[in-house]
Amino acid sequence: MASSNRVEVDGTLVEMEALRYTPAGIPVVKFRLSHESEQIEADIPRKVGCEIEGLAFAREASLLAAAPLGIRLNISGF
């Protein structure tokens, strides 16, 4: 049976640690993304928000490490 383990979210980059490297030399960066939106549930608009911690590796870590705090991002991963 196939299972799904994937998430996609857009938000604002609100926190990021310094770029570091694994013992194998792979770039990695830890970050926090803040999401706020309005969603329709039971035909009623509701404001939702959350903060998500993430880890980016390799190419994505290098790109993210160069991004300024406050930038809007759309990320996907597992």
Side-chain angles (χ1 to χ4, degrees):
M1 178 163 93
S3 64
S4 178
N5 181 19
R6 188 139 187 92
V7 63
E8 181 177 349
V9 64
D10 68 319
T12 303
L13 182 62
V14 294
E15 188 177 312
M16 182 171 40
E17 293 184 1
L19 181 68
R20 57 188 178 85
Y21 294 85
T22 68
I26 299 169
V28 59
V29 68
K30 185 176 178 180
F31 65 95
R32 182 182 298 268
L33 195 70
S34 175
H35 169 86
E36 292 183 11
S37 65
E38 188 173 278
Q39 304 294 319
I40 304 296
E41 181 182 19
D43 295 322
I44 300 171
R46 300 177 190 271
K47 290 187 178 189
V48 296
C50 66
E51 286 195 357
I52 298 172
E53 288 187 1
L55 285 173
F57 292 90
R59 177 179 170 268
E60 288 76 12
S62 297
L63 291 171
L64 190 58
L69 292 180
I71 192 169
R72 298 279 304 172
L73 298 171
N74 181 282
I75 62 169
S76 62
F78 60 91

